[in-house]
Amino acid sequence: MDPAPPFAPRTPPAGRSLRGTALAVSLVWAVGAAVLVQFGSGLAYAPARSVAIANEEELRSAVDAQRRAADRGEATSVQAAALRAALVGELADPAAVAALDTAIGSLDEALDLPAPVAPITGAHPPDEPTVPAWDRLAALVELSAELPLVRERTIAFDATATLLADADSAVDDASSEVFTAAVGRAQAALDATPNASTRTRLDLQYAVDVTAEAGDAAAFAALADAVVAARDAQAAEEAHRRDEPRRAEIEAFARSLSNGVALDFTWSYEAAGVSSDGYYAGTAQFWPEGGGWGLITLTFSVADNWDDENARAVVVHEVGHTQVIRDACHAQFTGPAFAGDHEAWATAWAIGMGYDLPGSGIEAYGRPSDEQIAVAATCR
């Protein structure tokens, strides 16, 4: 029997082969690669997704800002066009109007520019292990393509919003200059109409005070109307003084007694329910606005018989009514001596002014007490 060789190769067991071993190794490599891809895609996708979401939020903000700027610009354009149509007459400063025209043109050009188009971005799968690696890889590729376009469009929307906002502000500034010039001219008109009626001067002063703040076509038109009214009233007063010198003299006499209370006058055949036939009569209305002013109505008979001291007493009585709006006299009028009795007050005030006559109110309302006369006399 021959001896056994020192080494003999092992015979593989039945049913196994080298091919099966290679397959097993491939499977192990594939599983490992899949794990690496899943892990690697997660590392790359998470920050990319965060950047994409932040950029898209900036884009949405830019789109909203552009739309708001466009809406404001449209509203400003409409208001400015209405104002421009109202800018006629002496209050419209040519240089300010020309600047407004330029600003309106620039705003309209900005509004006519086509708005940028926002890109349509894809959905971004959540960054969770349950999302397959291939989905995250596909989303990562999509994000890489979208990111430059999102940034580009964000810049475009921001630029458009800025352009619109600047154009809108320029129109506002030009409108303000228009009103500044108009108010200056209106104030000059007010200063040039000292003899216009108090009512029209107060209306013009009010328009001067509020027009610049209102800043619209209606305010400009109201200011222009108030200027015309004051100028018309000034002309009417000048004509009145020229044509009715006696009445003008009486009005000047009344104003000399009014202690700063501005007075307007009307003349009528009737006043206080009586006519000029056989009576001297008048009424007084008064208001605290504008530092206090009054409107006195007198019958024609007062002017026709001005040499009669009783006619003068009627005028003094009516001026006395207006004194109760003065701080120096209101407390006496409302105090215990008069308790707000207008006729007793006006009569006592006229007597205290030296017109102790029937026309001072004594005939119509009775003689006030000596105490009342003394209290009214402190109102000077």
Side-chain angles (χ1 to χ4, degrees):
M1 181 175 182
D2 295 328
F7 172 78
R10 295 180 61 189
T11 302
R16 294 185 63 185
S17 68
L18 291 175
R19 181 178 297 176
T21 300
L23 177 61
V25 171
S26 297
L27 287 174
V28 170
W29 180 88
V31 170
V35 170
L36 288 173
V37 169
Q38 182 81 350
F39 180 72
S41 64
L43 289 178
Y45 178 65
R49 181 176 184 271
S50 297
V51 170
I53 290 174
N55 280 316
E56 289 169 13
E57 182 59 35
E58 289 180 7
L59 174 61
R60 281 191 291 272
S61 297
V63 171
D64 289 342
Q66 186 272 337
R67 288 174 179 167
R68 288 194 300 271
D71 289 342
R72 284 195 301 270
E74 291 287 357
T76 299
S77 179
V78 171
Q79 292 173 353
L83 172 61
R84 181 62 185 86
L87 297 182
V88 295
E90 64 178 291
L91 299 187
D93 178 75
V97 173
L100 178 62
D101 285 339
T102 300
I104 292 173
S106 296
L107 175 59
D108 289 342
E109 287 177 5
L111 289 170
D112 288 339
L113 292 174
V117 178
I120 300 175
T121 56
H124 310 311
D127 180 30
E128 296 176 358
T130 56
V131 178
W134 48 88
D135 286 346
R136 283 194 270 191
L137 284 172
L140 184 60
V141 172
E142 186 177 290
L143 291 179
S144 298
E146 288 176 358
L147 184 59
L149 182 58
V150 169
R151 287 177 174 169
E152 173 191 315
R153 294 299 171 81
T154 299
I155 292 171
F157 275 100
D158 283 339
T160 303
T162 299
L163 177 66
L164 288 168
D166 289 346
D168 187 274
S169 295
V171 171
D172 286 343
D173 291 343
S175 296
S176 295
E177 290 301 318
V178 165
F179 278 100
T180 297
V183 166
R185 293 183 174 203
Q187 182 63 55
L190 180 62
D191 296 340
T193 53
N195 296 323
S197 67
T198 305
R199 177 72 276 164
T200 57
R201 285 178 52 80
L202 287 175
D203 289 344
L204 178 51
Q205 184 64 67
Y206 176 80
V208 165
D209 292 342
V210 305
T211 293
E213 294 181 7
D216 55 23
F220 185 91
L223 182 63
D225 289 345
V227 168
V228 171
R231 287 223 168 100
D232 288 347
Q234 173 78 13
E237 179 62 18
E238 291 173 352
H240 169 70
R241 295 182 181 185
R242 182 181 62 250
D243 299 339
E244 297 286 350
R246 175 59 63 84
R247 293 180 185 179
E249 176 191 343
I250 295 169
E251 293 164 7
F253 168 74
R255 291 187 177 108
S256 71
L257 305 177
S258 69
N259 297 296
V261 177
L263 298 178
D264 288 345
F265 293 87
T266 60
W267 293 85
S268 175
Y269 174 72
E270 287 187 0
V274 298
S275 72
S276 292
D277 297 333
Y279 295 94
Y280 308 144
T283 61
Q285 298 170 274
F286 38 90
W287 300 269
E289 63 179 309
W293 70 287
L295 172 63
I296 292 177
T297 300
L298 297 171
T299 54
F300 298 149
S301 55
V302 171
D304 294 340
N305 299 277
W306 186 234
D307 292 336
D308 187 338
E309 285 294 305
N310 279 292
R312 294 174 181 266
V314 168
V315 174
V316 177
H317 174 98
E318 301 307 333
V319 173
H321 278 303
T322 70
Q323 299 301 290
V324 300
I325 58 178
R326 293 173 54 214
D327 291 340
C329 306
H330 187 70
Q332 296 95 308
F333 169 66
T334 57
F338 291 99
D341 186 331
H342 285 279
E343 297 303 343
W345 166 270
T347 302
W349 192 84
I351 293 172
M353 291 294 291
Y355 290 84
D356 192 353
L357 300 165
S360 67
I362 295 173
E363 182 177 331
Y365 308 109
R367 183 181 180 81
S369 68
D370 291 343
E371 178 193 2
Q372 288 176 317
I373 295 170
V375 170
T378 65
C379 170
R380 292 290 182 270

